[in-house]
Amino acid sequence: MESDGTAENASNVIAEREAPIVNTFPSNKWIKLNVGGQIYTTTIDTLVGREPDSMLARMFLQDGGMMPSERDEQGAYLIDRSARYFEPIINYLRHGEFVCESHISLKGVLEEARFFGIYSLVSHLEEKLSEQEQLLDDRPLTRMEVIKAIIQTSAITELRFQGINLSGADLRKLDFRNINFKYANMSRCNLSHTNLNYCCLERADLQYANLECAQLVSVRGLCANMEGANLRGCNFEDPTGVRTNLEGVNLKGACLESSNMAGVNLRVANLKNANMKNCNLRAAVLAGADLERCNLSGSDLQEANLRGANLKDAELALMVTPLHMSQAIR
């Protein structure tokens, strides 16, 4: 009989150990959390209502299956995590909106949200961080970043800014010889007095850029977009006779006044409303170019090829040499 009682007591102990943990916190009960030394006062309903499967919910739900942590001397439940990153999380659980001060790292909040199992917030933060990284990738390089790249690149190594965003950058008076800017966004850049000799500007975006007095000898600018750009006083002529190639370039509304463009290839270029006053265009190829309402007054077009060019309403006063419309394509 005595042995039977002992067996019964042992089975009761085992049953108690295997029984599920049951917490008895009412949903409207106020509790205190000590997170990294910072005290937060909230309700059970706040902790379990929005994310019932989170770690916090399982700590305080009646059938959560997880016992709360130990308490400090004030009765607050101790949680050894960062208070800085926990505050946006508790506020999210209170009202469902994520609000975070600008000085708080979203990555830090994300790690805490993962720890506490607040998965709806995890998804939101991952999306937000992805958007920020995308914006950072699209951010234009600064002058100092460009200079640093030039300094760190060996003189015998090709430097490429192909497809890079340089829009609005102050790049005046820099030496960019032989650099590849193909497909680069250089719109509204300040490139005045810059040396761009032998550069590749193919299909680059130079809309409204300032290239006043820039050196553009033997540049390859096929189909570049230079609409509204300032190219006043630029030099395009290569003394060795190699043509600067601006075939198909968009120079609509651009200013090229007093530029040396001798021998430049401007075949089928868009030069509508461009200011080409007093330009040196000797032996330039303008075949098929759109020169409608272009100001060519005072320009030197000796031996220039204008076969098939559109000269409707072009300003041709004070020409240095007669216009030769039938020159062979050079």
PDB file of all heavy atoms in Angstrom, residues 141-168:
ATOM      1  N   LEU A 141      27.390  61.366 -57.210  1.00  0.00           N
ATOM      2  CA  LEU A 141      28.703  61.484 -56.582  1.00  0.00           C
ATOM      3  C   LEU A 141      29.026  62.961 -56.359  1.00  0.00           C
ATOM      4  O   LEU A 141      28.625  63.827 -57.125  1.00  0.00           O
ATOM      5  CB  LEU A 141      29.782  60.853 -57.467  1.00  0.00           C
ATOM      6  CG  LEU A 141      29.730  59.335 -57.667  1.00  0.00           C
ATOM      7  CD1 LEU A 141      30.934  58.892 -58.497  1.00  0.00           C
ATOM      8  CD2 LEU A 141      29.694  58.591 -56.354  1.00  0.00           C
ATOM      9  N   THR A 142      29.778  63.237 -55.330  1.00  0.00           N
ATOM     10  CA  THR A 142      30.204  64.601 -55.044  1.00  0.00           C
ATOM     11  C   THR A 142      31.557  64.874 -55.688  1.00  0.00           C
ATOM     12  O   THR A 142      32.242  63.956 -56.157  1.00  0.00           O
ATOM     13  CB  THR A 142      30.332  64.815 -53.530  1.00  0.00           C
ATOM     14  OG1 THR A 142      31.372  63.969 -53.026  1.00  0.00           O
ATOM     15  CG2 THR A 142      29.022  64.480 -52.811  1.00  0.00           C
ATOM     16  N   ARG A 143      31.949  66.124 -55.685  1.00  0.00           N
ATOM     17  CA  ARG A 143      33.250  66.517 -56.238  1.00  0.00           C
ATOM     18  C   ARG A 143      34.379  65.768 -55.526  1.00  0.00           C
ATOM     19  O   ARG A 143      35.301  65.253 -56.181  1.00  0.00           O
ATOM     20  CB  ARG A 143      33.431  68.029 -56.084  1.00  0.00           C
ATOM     21  CG  ARG A 143      34.784  68.552 -56.594  1.00  0.00           C
ATOM     22  CD  ARG A 143      34.926  70.042 -56.344  1.00  0.00           C
ATOM     23  NE  ARG A 143      36.216  70.530 -56.771  1.00  0.00           N
ATOM     24  CZ  ARG A 143      36.507  70.978 -57.982  1.00  0.00           C
ATOM     25  NH1 ARG A 143      35.573  70.972 -58.911  1.00  0.00           N
ATOM     26  NH2 ARG A 143      37.708  71.420 -58.296  1.00  0.00           N
ATOM     27  N   MET A 144      34.325  65.693 -54.207  1.00  0.00           N
ATOM     28  CA  MET A 144      35.390  65.042 -53.454  1.00  0.00           C
ATOM     29  C   MET A 144      35.463  63.547 -53.767  1.00  0.00           C
ATOM     30  O   MET A 144      36.556  62.971 -53.837  1.00  0.00           O
ATOM     31  CB  MET A 144      35.184  65.255 -51.955  1.00  0.00           C
ATOM     32  CG  MET A 144      35.438  66.677 -51.501  1.00  0.00           C
ATOM     33  SD  MET A 144      37.047  67.336 -52.031  1.00  0.00           S
ATOM     34  CE  MET A 144      38.162  66.174 -51.247  1.00  0.00           C
ATOM     35  N   GLU A 145      34.314  62.911 -53.964  1.00  0.00           N
ATOM     36  CA  GLU A 145      34.302  61.490 -54.303  1.00  0.00           C
ATOM     37  C   GLU A 145      34.916  61.251 -55.675  1.00  0.00           C
ATOM     38  O   GLU A 145      35.633  60.267 -55.887  1.00  0.00           O
ATOM     39  CB  GLU A 145      32.869  60.951 -54.249  1.00  0.00           C
ATOM     40  CG  GLU A 145      32.322  60.818 -52.831  1.00  0.00           C
ATOM     41  CD  GLU A 145      30.850  60.498 -52.792  1.00  0.00           C
ATOM     42  OE1 GLU A 145      30.126  60.904 -53.729  1.00  0.00           O
ATOM     43  OE2 GLU A 145      30.408  59.853 -51.833  1.00  0.00           O
ATOM     44  N   VAL A 146      34.640  62.154 -56.610  1.00  0.00           N
ATOM     45  CA  VAL A 146      35.214  62.039 -57.957  1.00  0.00           C
ATOM     46  C   VAL A 146      36.723  62.248 -57.908  1.00  0.00           C
ATOM     47  O   VAL A 146      37.491  61.482 -58.505  1.00  0.00           O
ATOM     48  CB  VAL A 146      34.552  63.049 -58.916  1.00  0.00           C
ATOM     49  CG1 VAL A 146      35.278  63.069 -60.257  1.00  0.00           C
ATOM     50  CG2 VAL A 146      33.079  62.711 -59.126  1.00  0.00           C
ATOM     51  N   ILE A 147      37.162  63.276 -57.191  1.00  0.00           N
ATOM     52  CA  ILE A 147      38.601  63.545 -57.069  1.00  0.00           C
ATOM     53  C   ILE A 147      39.316  62.362 -56.417  1.00  0.00           C
ATOM     54  O   ILE A 147      40.403  61.955 -56.849  1.00  0.00           O
ATOM     55  CB  ILE A 147      38.833  64.837 -56.262  1.00  0.00           C
ATOM     56  CG1 ILE A 147      38.353  66.054 -57.060  1.00  0.00           C
ATOM     57  CG2 ILE A 147      40.312  64.991 -55.897  1.00  0.00           C
ATOM     58  CD1 ILE A 147      38.390  67.357 -56.292  1.00  0.00           C
ATOM     59  N   LYS A 148      38.709  61.787 -55.385  1.00  0.00           N
ATOM     60  CA  LYS A 148      39.306  60.630 -54.706  1.00  0.00           C
ATOM     61  C   LYS A 148      39.470  59.455 -55.665  1.00  0.00           C
ATOM     62  O   LYS A 148      40.500  58.767 -55.663  1.00  0.00           O
ATOM     63  CB  LYS A 148      38.427  60.226 -53.523  1.00  0.00           C
ATOM     64  CG  LYS A 148      38.998  59.101 -52.685  1.00  0.00           C
ATOM     65  CD  LYS A 148      38.103  58.799 -51.486  1.00  0.00           C
ATOM     66  CE  LYS A 148      38.669  57.655 -50.664  1.00  0.00           C
ATOM     67  NZ  LYS A 148      37.789  57.343 -49.495  1.00  0.00           N
ATOM     68  N   ALA A 149      38.443  59.227 -56.520  1.00  0.00           N
ATOM     69  CA  ALA A 149      38.529  58.130 -57.490  1.00  0.00           C
ATOM     70  C   ALA A 149      39.650  58.360 -58.492  1.00  0.00           C
ATOM     71  O   ALA A 149      40.373  57.430 -58.865  1.00  0.00           O
ATOM     72  CB  ALA A 149      37.191  57.990 -58.218  1.00  0.00           C
ATOM     73  N   ILE A 150      39.835  59.611 -58.915  1.00  0.00           N
ATOM     74  CA  ILE A 150      40.902  59.933 -59.872  1.00  0.00           C
ATOM     75  C   ILE A 150      42.271  59.727 -59.232  1.00  0.00           C
ATOM     76  O   ILE A 150      43.170  59.130 -59.832  1.00  0.00           O
ATOM     77  CB  ILE A 150      40.749  61.386 -60.376  1.00  0.00           C
ATOM     78  CG1 ILE A 150      39.464  61.533 -61.196  1.00  0.00           C
ATOM     79  CG2 ILE A 150      41.955  61.806 -61.208  1.00  0.00           C
ATOM     80  CD1 ILE A 150      39.131  62.965 -61.568  1.00  0.00           C
ATOM     81  N   ILE A 151      42.421  60.211 -58.006  1.00  0.00           N
ATOM     82  CA  ILE A 151      43.716  60.111 -57.319  1.00  0.00           C
ATOM     83  C   ILE A 151      44.104  58.656 -57.084  1.00  0.00           C
ATOM     84  O   ILE A 151      45.277  58.275 -57.214  1.00  0.00           O
ATOM     85  CB  ILE A 151      43.669  60.884 -55.982  1.00  0.00           C
ATOM     86  CG1 ILE A 151      43.570  62.391 -56.248  1.00  0.00           C
ATOM     87  CG2 ILE A 151      44.902  60.580 -55.131  1.00  0.00           C
ATOM     88  CD1 ILE A 151      43.343  63.213 -54.997  1.00  0.00           C
ATOM     89  N   GLN A 152      43.137  57.825 -56.756  1.00  0.00           N
ATOM     90  CA  GLN A 152      43.420  56.432 -56.408  1.00  0.00           C
ATOM     91  C   GLN A 152      43.577  55.525 -57.622  1.00  0.00           C
ATOM     92  O   GLN A 152      43.906  54.349 -57.468  1.00  0.00           O
ATOM     93  CB  GLN A 152      42.298  55.897 -55.513  1.00  0.00           C
ATOM     94  CG  GLN A 152      42.261  56.543 -54.133  1.00  0.00           C
ATOM     95  CD  GLN A 152      41.136  56.006 -53.267  1.00  0.00           C
ATOM     96  OE1 GLN A 152      40.192  55.395 -53.763  1.00  0.00           O
ATOM     97  NE2 GLN A 152      41.234  56.240 -51.979  1.00  0.00           N
ATOM     98  N   THR A 153      43.343  56.057 -58.827  1.00  0.00           N
ATOM     99  CA  THR A 153      43.448  55.254 -60.037  1.00  0.00           C
ATOM    100  C   THR A 153      44.790  55.492 -60.712  1.00  0.00           C
ATOM    101  O   THR A 153      45.202  56.639 -60.924  1.00  0.00           O
ATOM    102  CB  THR A 153      42.311  55.596 -61.020  1.00  0.00           C
ATOM    103  OG1 THR A 153      41.062  55.407 -60.366  1.00  0.00           O
ATOM    104  CG2 THR A 153      42.380  54.707 -62.248  1.00  0.00           C
ATOM    105  N   SER A 154      45.479  54.427 -61.046  1.00  0.00           N
ATOM    106  CA  SER A 154      46.774  54.525 -61.707  1.00  0.00           C
ATOM    107  C   SER A 154      46.633  55.212 -63.059  1.00  0.00           C
ATOM    108  O   SER A 154      45.608  55.082 -63.748  1.00  0.00           O
ATOM    109  CB  SER A 154      47.359  53.124 -61.892  1.00  0.00           C
ATOM    110  OG  SER A 154      48.471  53.154 -62.758  1.00  0.00           O
ATOM    111  N   ALA A 155      47.674  55.916 -63.443  1.00  0.00           N
ATOM    112  CA  ALA A 155      47.664  56.646 -64.711  1.00  0.00           C
ATOM    113  C   ALA A 155      47.564  55.711 -65.910  1.00  0.00           C
ATOM    114  O   ALA A 155      47.139  56.114 -66.994  1.00  0.00           O
ATOM    115  CB  ALA A 155      48.915  57.511 -64.822  1.00  0.00           C
ATOM    116  N   ILE A 156      47.946  54.454 -65.727  1.00  0.00           N
ATOM    117  CA  ILE A 156      47.900  53.493 -66.841  1.00  0.00           C
ATOM    118  C   ILE A 156      46.621  52.641 -66.807  1.00  0.00           C
ATOM    119  O   ILE A 156      46.445  51.743 -67.618  1.00  0.00           O
ATOM    120  CB  ILE A 156      49.141  52.571 -66.815  1.00  0.00           C
ATOM    121  CG1 ILE A 156      49.205  51.774 -65.509  1.00  0.00           C
ATOM    122  CG2 ILE A 156      50.401  53.370 -67.030  1.00  0.00           C
ATOM    123  CD1 ILE A 156      50.302  50.727 -65.491  1.00  0.00           C
ATOM    124  N   THR A 157      45.739  52.942 -65.851  1.00  0.00           N
ATOM    125  CA  THR A 157      44.480  52.197 -65.723  1.00  0.00           C
ATOM    126  C   THR A 157      43.327  53.034 -66.244  1.00  0.00           C
ATOM    127  O   THR A 157      43.237  54.229 -65.937  1.00  0.00           O
ATOM    128  CB  THR A 157      44.217  51.817 -64.250  1.00  0.00           C
ATOM    129  OG1 THR A 157      45.322  51.059 -63.755  1.00  0.00           O
ATOM    130  CG2 THR A 157      42.938  50.990 -64.119  1.00  0.00           C
ATOM    131  N   GLU A 158      42.446  52.414 -67.025  1.00  0.00           N
ATOM    132  CA  GLU A 158      41.291  53.141 -67.548  1.00  0.00           C
ATOM    133  C   GLU A 158      40.304  53.410 -66.417  1.00  0.00           C
ATOM    134  O   GLU A 158      39.906  52.510 -65.684  1.00  0.00           O
ATOM    135  CB  GLU A 158      40.586  52.339 -68.643  1.00  0.00           C
ATOM    136  CG  GLU A 158      39.390  53.087 -69.243  1.00  0.00           C
ATOM    137  CD  GLU A 158      38.624  52.251 -70.251  1.00  0.00           C
ATOM    138  OE1 GLU A 158      38.902  51.046 -70.365  1.00  0.00           O
ATOM    139  OE2 GLU A 158      37.736  52.813 -70.913  1.00  0.00           O
ATOM    140  N   LEU A 159      39.941  54.678 -66.271  1.00  0.00           N
ATOM    141  CA  LEU A 159      38.965  55.058 -65.251  1.00  0.00           C
ATOM    142  C   LEU A 159      37.594  55.193 -65.903  1.00  0.00           C
ATOM    143  O   LEU A 159      37.424  55.903 -66.883  1.00  0.00           O
ATOM    144  CB  LEU A 159      39.368  56.381 -64.590  1.00  0.00           C
ATOM    145  CG  LEU A 159      38.443  56.917 -63.492  1.00  0.00           C
ATOM    146  CD1 LEU A 159      38.270  55.893 -62.372  1.00  0.00           C
ATOM    147  CD2 LEU A 159      38.980  58.223 -62.939  1.00  0.00           C
ATOM    148  N   ARG A 160      36.619  54.503 -65.339  1.00  0.00           N
ATOM    149  CA  ARG A 160      35.277  54.523 -65.906  1.00  0.00           C
ATOM    150  C   ARG A 160      34.273  55.115 -64.919  1.00  0.00           C
ATOM    151  O   ARG A 160      34.201  54.696 -63.770  1.00  0.00           O
ATOM    152  CB  ARG A 160      34.824  53.104 -66.268  1.00  0.00           C
ATOM    153  CG  ARG A 160      35.626  52.460 -67.382  1.00  0.00           C
ATOM    154  CD  ARG A 160      35.000  51.140 -67.784  1.00  0.00           C
ATOM    155  NE  ARG A 160      35.734  50.496 -68.855  1.00  0.00           N
ATOM    156  CZ  ARG A 160      35.335  49.383 -69.457  1.00  0.00           C
ATOM    157  NH1 ARG A 160      34.207  48.802 -69.082  1.00  0.00           N
ATOM    158  NH2 ARG A 160      36.056  48.858 -70.424  1.00  0.00           N
ATOM    159  N   PHE A 161      33.514  56.077 -65.409  1.00  0.00           N
ATOM    160  CA  PHE A 161      32.336  56.568 -64.704  1.00  0.00           C
ATOM    161  C   PHE A 161      31.104  56.209 -65.528  1.00  0.00           C
ATOM    162  O   PHE A 161      30.121  56.933 -65.547  1.00  0.00           O
ATOM    163  CB  PHE A 161      32.420  58.080 -64.493  1.00  0.00           C
ATOM    164  CG  PHE A 161      33.407  58.492 -63.429  1.00  0.00           C
ATOM    165  CD1 PHE A 161      34.633  59.024 -63.767  1.00  0.00           C
ATOM    166  CD2 PHE A 161      33.087  58.340 -62.086  1.00  0.00           C
ATOM    167  CE1 PHE A 161      35.537  59.407 -62.787  1.00  0.00           C
ATOM    168  CE2 PHE A 161      33.987  58.720 -61.103  1.00  0.00           C
ATOM    169  CZ  PHE A 161      35.216  59.253 -61.446  1.00  0.00           C
ATOM    170  N   GLN A 162      31.171  55.082 -66.172  1.00  0.00           N
ATOM    171  CA  GLN A 162      30.107  54.658 -67.088  1.00  0.00           C
ATOM    172  C   GLN A 162      28.809  54.425 -66.310  1.00  0.00           C
ATOM    173  O   GLN A 162      28.749  53.644 -65.370  1.00  0.00           O
ATOM    174  CB  GLN A 162      30.524  53.367 -67.808  1.00  0.00           C
ATOM    175  CG  GLN A 162      29.564  52.944 -68.904  1.00  0.00           C
ATOM    176  CD  GLN A 162      30.168  51.847 -69.769  1.00  0.00           C
ATOM    177  OE1 GLN A 162      31.379  51.768 -69.918  1.00  0.00           O
ATOM    178  NE2 GLN A 162      29.336  51.016 -70.358  1.00  0.00           N
ATOM    179  N   GLY A 163      27.761  55.143 -66.730  1.00  0.00           N
ATOM    180  CA  GLY A 163      26.450  54.987 -66.106  1.00  0.00           C
ATOM    181  C   GLY A 163      26.334  55.596 -64.726  1.00  0.00           C
ATOM    182  O   GLY A 163      25.317  55.436 -64.058  1.00  0.00           O
ATOM    183  N   ILE A 164      27.357  56.314 -64.264  1.00  0.00           N
ATOM    184  CA  ILE A 164      27.366  56.871 -62.911  1.00  0.00           C
ATOM    185  C   ILE A 164      26.540  58.160 -62.863  1.00  0.00           C
ATOM    186  O   ILE A 164      26.489  58.935 -63.808  1.00  0.00           O
ATOM    187  CB  ILE A 164      28.815  57.158 -62.455  1.00  0.00           C
ATOM    188  CG1 ILE A 164      29.612  55.852 -62.382  1.00  0.00           C
ATOM    189  CG2 ILE A 164      28.841  57.865 -61.116  1.00  0.00           C
ATOM    190  CD1 ILE A 164      29.075  54.869 -61.362  1.00  0.00           C
ATOM    191  N   ASN A 165      25.900  58.392 -61.722  1.00  0.00           N
ATOM    192  CA  ASN A 165      25.106  59.604 -61.528  1.00  0.00           C
ATOM    193  C   ASN A 165      26.009  60.718 -60.994  1.00  0.00           C
ATOM    194  O   ASN A 165      26.498  60.645 -59.865  1.00  0.00           O
ATOM    195  CB  ASN A 165      23.964  59.327 -60.548  1.00  0.00           C
ATOM    196  CG  ASN A 165      23.020  60.519 -60.421  1.00  0.00           C
ATOM    197  OD1 ASN A 165      23.209  61.553 -61.057  1.00  0.00           O
ATOM    198  ND2 ASN A 165      21.997  60.370 -59.594  1.00  0.00           N
ATOM    199  N   LEU A 166      26.226  61.727 -61.810  1.00  0.00           N
ATOM    200  CA  LEU A 166      27.031  62.890 -61.430  1.00  0.00           C
ATOM    201  C   LEU A 166      26.216  64.173 -61.524  1.00  0.00           C
ATOM    202  O   LEU A 166      26.774  65.263 -61.523  1.00  0.00           O
ATOM    203  CB  LEU A 166      28.264  62.999 -62.340  1.00  0.00           C
ATOM    204  CG  LEU A 166      29.272  61.853 -62.281  1.00  0.00           C
ATOM    205  CD1 LEU A 166      30.187  61.883 -63.499  1.00  0.00           C
ATOM    206  CD2 LEU A 166      30.094  61.926 -61.005  1.00  0.00           C
ATOM    207  N   SER A 167      24.920  64.043 -61.590  1.00  0.00           N
ATOM    208  CA  SER A 167      24.062  65.200 -61.859  1.00  0.00           C
ATOM    209  C   SER A 167      24.262  66.294 -60.813  1.00  0.00           C
ATOM    210  O   SER A 167      24.298  66.039 -59.611  1.00  0.00           O
ATOM    211  CB  SER A 167      22.591  64.776 -61.882  1.00  0.00           C
ATOM    212  OG  SER A 167      22.199  64.234 -60.641  1.00  0.00           O
ATOM    213  N   GLY A 168      24.420  67.519 -61.314  1.00  0.00           N
ATOM    214  CA  GLY A 168      24.538  68.679 -60.439  1.00  0.00           C
ATOM    215  C   GLY A 168      25.881  68.843 -59.759  1.00  0.00           C
ATOM    216  O   GLY A 168      26.068  69.783 -58.974  1.00  0.00           O
TER     217      GLY A 168
END
